[in-house]
Each structure stands twice: as C-alpha cells, then as structure tokens.
Amino acid sequence: MSSELNFNYQRIAQAILYIRDHFRQQPDLETIAAQVHLSPFHFQRLFKEWAGVSPKKFMQYLSVEYAKRLLSKDDHPTLFDTAHHTGLSGTGRLHDLFVTIEAMTPGEFKNQGASLNINYSVADTPFGQVLMASTDKGLCHIAFIEDVLEGLQVLQLRFPKAFLSEKRDSIHEQALSIFDLTGQAPSNLKLHLQGTDFQLKVWEALLKVPFAKLATYKSIAAKISQPSASRAVGTAIGANPVAYLIPCHRVIQASGVIGGYMWGPTRKAAIIGWEAAQHSRIED
C-alpha cells in the first residue's frame, strides 16, 4: 500500500498535469482543485505542503518564459559559489558536488552483471516511489516506479546475470538524503555505472548542472567538447540509469519547452517546479 507521501504526490501530479496542459488559460485555484476532487482550501494547503509555494506561483515556474530566463544565464556560477550565495553549503541541495561516477569494467559490462551482487530497495520520495540498487562499489540504479514488480523486471533486464537481494543498505540511505531539505548531502557517494565512454561523459556533465538551474542539449554537448552532438547527447540523457541524482530532468529544449523524460513529462515538470520553489524559498 502506498504511503501518504506517495498518495499525496499522485494527487499533486494530477494537478500539475492539468496545469501543464492548460497553462495558457491560467486556470484559477477552484478549477485546478476540482481536477483532484478537493475543495480549494484543502488543495491549496496540500499543494503548499508539497511545493512550499502556491499553485499560482508554481505555474510561473513551469512557464516557457521562466525557463528561457534561466537558459539565458550563460554565466552559471560554480557549485561552490552557488552554495555560498544561497547558504546551502553542506546541505542536500548541492549533492552534485559529492557524487562521483565509477565505470563498470569491460568484463562486468560484457558479463551482464554475472559477478555482481546487487542490493535493491523501494522508497517513497516527493515525486513518487523509487527503486534503488547498489553494488559493493556504489549506486547502480534509481528509477521512479508505478509498480514494484515491473520495476524489478527493468532492473533484472539491465543486469540479467546479477544476484539480486532485497536490502536497503547505507548507499541507499545516502542517496535518499538528497530529498530531505534539512538533511546532509551524500558524503562522497559513488555511482557504479555501465555505459559507453560517451554516455559517462554526458552523465558527468549533468552532475555539474546546478540545483534549480536548466540546461539545453546543445549546452551539454558543448560541455563535453562535442558541440555538434546534440542528438547523441539526447540519447545518452535518455539512457540515464540514476533518476534525479544524475539530474537529466534539468535538460530542456532551447525553446523553453520542458520536453520528454524517461519517467514521464508530468514528473519532470513536477521536479523542475519543485526545485525552483525550494530555491526561491531559500533565497527569500
């Protein structure tokens, strides 16, 4: 049975889907609340508990104009400068600084995980349930899921010869701390990933996109010194095996349109808006 956190996210996601599809009409509070079968009062309270801002403010964060303003700021500060400026040093908001990628060996890749023992567990986050998995070297998988069995099937397909054990280990706990605004950032969290050299470069570049900021496929291609490879970058981003920790949700189209996401465009909009809301609250 889903927890209250997950249940609330499902209702918020339904509201965000409506907001995203009807943004140009600027729906009022009563109209949005009706979509999730709540009174305006209860919906406003639930939404502010989840996002920290009103639905109206959240709509602004999902607008194309807001996205364009972020994308026009080519002078992104370093993560250290961002932490200092916003008072975020040492908190989970700047997890990127503490995450490193270790590639699986060619043998591990070729053997489809035959030599790997993988722990997995399921947890609730502000954006729905996730299934996490780790080897003794680090986190190898995070995916948002709607069904645990289907999520396990995806994991098994990625590592068909690995031995899977249901166990929440310290690596999982480290990864989950990123969703806690009051918690500490993961301490030197390692990701143990299988991917091509190109994919690994793209994923490393994604880790450098600051919290609540946005990038384009073209800008990521430029970051890895392959400016003409925007399409290939998009493919590598789509193959990201670690949801949220590797922030592929922060990459949008140059037009300001949010675009697709492996775990659903509504969830991507929810994450982008939520990050913008948290960043705004901290700056205020």
Side-chain angles (χ1 to χ4, degrees):
M1 182 178 295
S2 297
S3 71
E4 183 178 358
L5 179 65
N6 192 46
F7 178 69
N8 285 343
Y9 169 70
Q10 297 305 324
R11 291 198 287 186
I12 294 297
Q14 187 178 348
I16 290 172
L17 176 61
Y18 183 82
I19 290 172
R20 188 169 59 87
D21 290 345
H22 298 84
F23 175 79
R24 292 184 182 278
Q25 289 77 43
Q26 290 290 291
D28 57 22
L29 180 64
E30 289 75 12
T31 301
I32 303 172
Q35 304 305 308
V36 292
H37 310 291
L38 291 173
S39 70
F41 172 78
H42 284 98
F43 173 66
Q44 175 95 338
R45 186 176 67 178
L46 176 66
F47 200 98
K48 289 198 73 172
E49 286 177 354
W50 180 82
V53 295
S54 68
K56 182 177 181 179
K57 187 70 173 178
F58 196 88
M59 274 195 289
Q60 295 175 4
Y61 294 143
L62 296 185
S63 73
V64 170
E65 292 308 312
Y66 175 80
K68 285 182 177 178
R69 287 199 300 272
L70 286 184
L71 292 174
S72 67
K73 297 179 181 179
D74 294 328
D75 57 337
H76 287 321
T78 65
L79 287 170
F80 180 82
D81 290 339
T82 302
H84 179 73
H85 174 67
T86 59
L88 295 177
S89 296
T91 72
R93 298 303 86 217
L94 287 175
H95 70 284
D96 319 72
L97 192 62
F98 301 92
V99 177
T100 57
I101 294 177
E102 178 177 337
M104 291 191 179
T105 66
E108 289 170 330
F109 190 95
K110 181 179 179 181
N111 294 333
Q112 300 179 311
S115 61
L116 296 177
N117 291 310
I118 294 178
N119 293 333
Y120 73 88
S121 66
V122 175
D124 291 321
T125 78
F127 316 110
Q129 285 190 316
V130 292
L131 187 147
M132 303 172 291
S134 60
T135 71
D136 60 350
K137 295 181 180 179
L139 197 71
C140 62
H141 181 85
I142 296 183
F144 291 106
I145 60 171
E146 304 299 330
D147 179 86
V148 175
L149 290 179
E150 289 180 1
L152 280 174
Q153 289 173 355
V154 171
L155 177 62
Q156 190 74 73
L157 285 173
R158 292 194 61 236
F159 302 100
K161 296 182 180 179
F163 181 76
L164 303 183
S165 300
E166 185 175 6
K167 176 184 178 182
R168 181 175 295 184
D169 58 29
S170 60
I171 295 174
H172 299 179
E173 295 292 351
Q174 276 187 293
L176 282 173
S177 70
I178 189 56
F179 295 108
D180 182 3
L181 282 175
T182 63
Q184 294 298 307
S187 177
N188 298 320
L189 178 63
K190 288 188 178 181
L191 306 182
H192 188 205
L193 306 182
Q194 60 177 13
T196 64
D197 289 344
F198 182 82
Q199 287 174 326
L200 292 168
K201 287 180 181 179
V202 170
W203 300 338
E204 287 173 345
L206 293 178
L207 287 171
K208 297 176 183 177
V209 180
F211 181 81
K213 300 296 183 181
L214 298 175
T216 65
Y217 299 95
K218 183 177 180 180
S219 68
I220 296 297
K223 290 290 185 183
I224 63 171
S225 301
Q226 297 199 41
S228 62
S230 295
R231 187 178 296 274
V233 163
T235 301
I237 289 173
N240 172 24
V242 181
Y244 195 78
L245 268 171
I246 295 180
C248 57
H249 58 272
R250 296 178 193 158
V251 184
I252 66 171
Q253 297 175 20
S255 63
V257 174
I258 288 177
Y261 186 54
M262 184 189 305
W263 298 284
T266 298
R267 182 174 276 112
K268 182 176 183 178
I271 296 173
I272 288 174
W274 185 85
E275 288 191 349
Q278 308 316 308
H279 190 265
S280 175
R281 290 169 66 195
I282 292 168
E283 287 195 321
D284 292 342

